[in-house]
Amino acid sequence: MAIYSAGRRRTMIILLLSSVLLITLDLRGNAVFNAARSGFEYALRPFEIAGDVITRPVSRMWHGMTDIDELEQENQRLQEQLDAQRSDQIAAQNALIENRDLRALLDLESLAAFDRVTASIIGSSPSNFDQRVEIDRGSLDGIRVGMPVINSAGLVGKITNVFPETAIVMLATDPQYHVPVKVVAEVRATPTTSVPDTVPSGLAVSDVTTTTSTTTTSTTSTSTTTTTTTTIPRPVDGAGNPIDPNLQGPPGATTSTSSTTTTTAVEMVEVTRETGELNGFGADRLPRVRFIADSPQFGRVAEGDAVLTAGGSLSLAPPDIPVGKVANVIQRAGTAGLELEVELNADLNRLIFLTVILYVPPTEAPALR
Amino acid sequence: MLGALLTSSLTRVIPIGMMLLALQKTLFVELQPFGVIIQIVLAFAAAAGAAGGPERGAITGFALGIMFDLAVGSPLGSTSITMGIAGYVAGWVDLIRIETTWWLAALFVGVGAGIGEACVPVVRRFIGEEDAFVPEMAKIVPVVAIAAAASSVLLVPLARWALKLERPEWKMPADG
């Protein structure tokens, strides 16, 4: 039998053209195809449930064999992280309350203002080229295409397909995922030492010799313990004669005083913002932020800086959803600017429950009404 | 011929495809040797080609691809191309040898599935997706191909039944 024949070639051309036609119609948006997807979803559901029940022991056995060492190591690492973060949690809660109050005062948009739908994951993408999961909530719960999806750690992805009772979430590691983000960096100004104009005796500081022996500075508040050795000159009149020899000690007398002063907000903290676009690079690689300007006037982006969604009228995500932190800063040649690798807060390999924020960009809101 | 092929085989291919899709979405997303998802539906498309020739393989792959796209949400028709190619390529085994041995069928199923999987980013790039080529391709394609070859021992007879083909006399390596 020949590899090439007219009938075979005709069959292949018909199939290829049919595929191209279907792709074209689907990408342009087609109600019939959407209905077919929903219908097929319903038809496939019993097969999936049966398959899940039957194969669960097999998949558990597989995970039991392959994941045990990794899980033990991860458990130990997480325990250490938990210990380290307990103290940070109290400060973070306080900051959250302050932030919420200030936003309310300024009438700013915040995440708490949007309705949410909590969903659980019922499936993952069977493709090696997609980073997507399926959730058990759909259009009947108010979910629409494009809505951001988060978990308790931060941004997870966005909705790409919606069926009546289920929806597909594109994870932030998917190569097709894009979202505007901002990089927030804390810049600590050099601590300034304020020297009083006079010493407690009323003399000008310039008239005494002061040696500061110990200074301790903390981040949020400053506690200064100062041991001062002061050499005080005898008061003199205009001609240089002593005014009252009994008032002060002998010339060159030395007194030692020790005082502890606790002040707040002595250290200046500024916030630097850079905006760019986060997009995924696959499951095994960190997402990257592109279009970052490497401009020293805005401050250098550094590893460990926080990455949040930028929001904006055209963004599908509201502002200030925690995304992750900068893991690597990649310098690119010429005017290409910086590229940042971002370590996501959310562990996308261990998702169970997700929250869909029912957010619609202001530019699209009128169309839905 | 196309219409006859469609009507004669789809009554069995569609239910089998549904079952394999269910397995693909449940079991095979959990079992990931070397971090790669085994493509059992793609392997079945290739097995259909190895069992029934290039045309039947391409048509079966096309139908399975449509089902896959409907289930996964990828652009309708995109997976049809890759699965159709897998079935077509695996079907060449019918053209180079009259009496197919099991190991030759396995080899062609593996090659067909590997080529089909390698075509996925090509098709995606063609329809406008950015960054369709992932660096793990060098790992994904061989794992998918080897898994498909291994599963062909089950899938080729299944495809033969689904396509209503007569069972050939299998030749074991010892038989020459």
Side-chain angles (χ1 to χ4, degrees), chain A residues 1-5 7-9 11-12 14-16 18-24 26-27 33 36-37 40-41 43-45 47-49 51-52 55-56 58-59 62-63 122-130 132 134 161 163 168 174-176 178 279-285 290, chain B residues 2 15 18-19 21-27 29-33 35-39 54-55 58-59 62 66-78 80-81 84 88 92 94-96 117 120-121 123-124 126-137 139-140 144:
Chain A
M1 203 185 299
I3 290 180
Y4 298 106
S5 71
R8 186 170 300 130
R9 194 160 52 232
T11 304
M12 289 307 297
I14 289 171
L15 291 178
L16 197 62
S18 303
S19 297
V20 172
L21 180 67
L22 287 172
I23 292 171
T24 308
D26 194 23
L27 289 179
F33 289 174
R37 279 205 170 92
F40 194 76
E41 184 74 18
L44 191 63
R45 177 62 56 198
F47 289 91
E48 274 188 57
I49 294 169
D52 191 36
T55 61
R56 196 174 298 156
V58 180
S59 59
W62 172 269
H63 286 302
I122 55 172
S124 303
S125 169
S127 168
N128 285 306
F129 301 93
D130 291 326
R132 298 173 198 204
E134 190 175 3
N161 293 78
F163 307 107
I168 306 287
D174 191 289
Q176 303 307 310
H178 300 271
N279 68 296
F281 268 76
D284 295 339
R285 291 201 292 172
R290 292 167 166 172
Chain B
L2 185 63
M18 299 275 269
M19 283 189 273
L21 257 178
L23 286 177
Q24 181 75 70
K25 290 185 77 177
T26 53
L27 179 64
V29 293
E30 299 287 337
L31 315 185
Q32 294 188 13
V36 175
I37 301 172
I38 294 170
Q39 298 297 313
E55 286 157 296
I59 291 166
F62 177 83
I66 295 280
M67 292 165 66
F68 191 94
D69 288 332
L70 285 173
V72 173
S74 44
L76 201 64
S78 60
S80 302
I81 296 177
Y88 185 78
W92 284 350
D94 248 20
L95 306 179
I96 63 170
E117 186 74 351
V120 172
V123 173
R124 294 192 170 198
F126 172 71
I127 61 177
E129 289 190 4
E130 293 175 8
D131 303 314
F133 293 91
V134 294
E136 295 81 22
M137 283 291 290
K139 181 177 69 173
I140 291 171
V144 168

Side-chain angles (χ1 to χ4, degrees), chain B:
Chain B
M1 184 185 179
L2 185 63
L5 275 172
L6 283 170
T7 51
S8 65
S9 58
L10 287 188
T11 50
R12 290 183 181 180
V13 167
I14 288 176
I16 289 174
M18 299 275 269
M19 283 189 273
L20 291 177
L21 257 178
L23 286 177
Q24 181 75 70
K25 290 185 77 177
T26 53
L27 179 64
F28 289 102
V29 293
E30 299 287 337
L31 315 185
Q32 294 188 13
F34 307 105
V36 175
I37 301 172
I38 294 170
Q39 298 297 313
I40 194 71
V41 184
L42 181 72
F44 183 66
E55 286 157 296
R56 286 193 179 90
I59 291 166
T60 308
F62 177 83
L64 291 170
I66 295 280
M67 292 165 66
F68 191 94
D69 288 332
L70 285 173
V72 173
S74 44
L76 201 64
S78 60
T79 312
S80 302
I81 296 177
T82 58
M83 289 197 183
I85 289 171
Y88 185 78
V89 171
W92 284 350
V93 72
D94 248 20
L95 306 179
I96 63 170
R97 187 162 173 172
I98 297 169
E99 295 177 358
T100 306
T101 57
W102 66 271
W103 58 268
L104 200 58
L107 181 68
F108 272 78
V109 168
V111 170
I115 291 176
E117 186 74 351
C119 286
V120 172
V122 178
V123 173
R124 294 192 170 198
R125 191 72 195 93
F126 172 71
I127 61 177
E129 289 190 4
E130 293 175 8
D131 303 314
F133 293 91
V134 294
E136 295 81 22
M137 283 291 290
K139 181 177 69 173
I140 291 171
V141 172
V143 172
V144 168
I146 291 168
S151 61
S152 70
V153 179
L154 294 173
L155 293 180
V156 172
L158 185 65
R160 187 169 291 114
W161 176 81
L163 297 174
K164 299 177 183 172
L165 300 171
E166 286 182 14
R167 181 188 171 87
E169 287 188 12
W170 288 99
K171 282 190 164 226
M172 300 304 288
D175 300 334

Side-chain angles (χ1 to χ4, degrees), chain A residues 111 148 150 155 177 179-182 184 278 307-312 315 317-324:
Chain A
L111 278 180
I150 62 171
L155 186 71
Y177 185 83
V179 69
V181 294
K182 61 188 175 189
V184 180
L278 178 103
V307 179
L308 308 169
T309 54
S315 175
D320 297 329
I321 298 176
V323 175

Side-chain angles (χ1 to χ4, degrees), chain A residues 30-302:
Chain A
N30 190 301
V32 177
F33 289 174
N34 293 338
R37 279 205 170 92
S38 297
F40 194 76
E41 184 74 18
Y42 276 119
L44 191 63
R45 177 62 56 198
F47 289 91
E48 274 188 57
I49 294 169
D52 191 36
V53 171
I54 293 166
T55 61
R56 196 174 298 156
V58 180
S59 59
R60 281 183 180 166
M61 191 176 71
W62 172 269
H63 286 302
M65 288 190 301
T66 57
D67 296 350
I68 186 74
D69 292 339
E70 188 186 335
L71 284 176
E72 279 177 358
Q73 288 172 1
E74 188 183 19
N75 192 8
Q76 191 176 354
R77 187 167 45 82
L78 289 175
Q79 196 63 46
E80 288 167 5
Q81 271 185 15
L82 188 66
D83 293 340
Q85 287 180 350
R86 275 197 182 113
S87 58
D88 295 342
Q89 188 187 3
I90 299 167
Q93 282 174 340
N94 188 35
L96 276 174
I97 294 166
E98 279 183 10
N99 181 278
R100 193 178 57 201
D101 292 346
L102 288 170
R103 282 181 172 278
L105 277 173
L106 296 170
D107 200 22
L108 287 175
E109 203 175 50
S110 79
L111 278 180
F114 303 112
D115 291 334
R116 297 156 183 240
V117 172
T118 303
S120 58
I121 292 178
I122 55 172
S124 303
S125 169
S127 168
N128 285 306
F129 301 93
D130 291 326
Q131 310 300 319
R132 298 173 198 204
V133 294
E134 190 175 3
I135 57 173
D136 63 348
R137 304 283 178 179
S139 58
L140 296 177
D141 302 288
I143 294 174
R144 301 282 180 271
V145 171
M147 287 179 169
V149 181
I150 62 171
N151 70 357
S152 53
L155 186 71
V156 169
K158 68 176 180 182
I159 302 288
T160 52
N161 293 78
V162 182
F163 307 107
E165 293 179 357
T166 60
I168 306 287
V169 179
M170 178 191 282
L171 301 180
T173 49
D174 191 289
Q176 303 307 310
Y177 185 83
H178 300 271
V179 69
V181 294
K182 61 188 175 189
V183 183
V184 180
E186 288 183 354
V187 178
R188 287 173 178 79
T190 307
T192 54
T193 306
S194 60
V195 181
D197 292 336
T198 59
V199 295
S201 63
L203 292 172
V205 170
S206 56
D207 292 338
V208 299
T209 307
T210 302
T211 306
T212 303
S213 60
T214 311
T215 301
T216 310
T217 307
S218 67
T219 305
T220 53
S221 63
T222 301
S223 174
T224 307
T225 303
T226 307
T227 304
T228 308
T229 304
T230 308
T231 305
I232 304 173
R234 180 181 291 181
V236 293
D237 60 14
N241 299 317
I243 296 171
D244 183 358
N246 299 323
L247 186 63
Q248 301 288 339
T254 300
T255 59
S256 291
T257 58
S258 178
S259 62
T260 301
T261 309
T262 302
T263 57
T264 57
V266 171
E267 190 175 350
M268 295 291 290
V269 177
E270 296 171 2
V271 173
T272 301
R273 288 181 175 184
E274 299 267 359
T275 56
E277 186 185 73
L278 178 103
N279 68 296
F281 268 76
D284 295 339
R285 291 201 292 172
L286 295 175
R288 290 189 180 186
V289 180
R290 292 167 166 172
F291 312 123
I292 288 278
D294 182 19
S295 171
Q297 74 182 87
F298 298 122
R300 296 282 183 184
V301 176

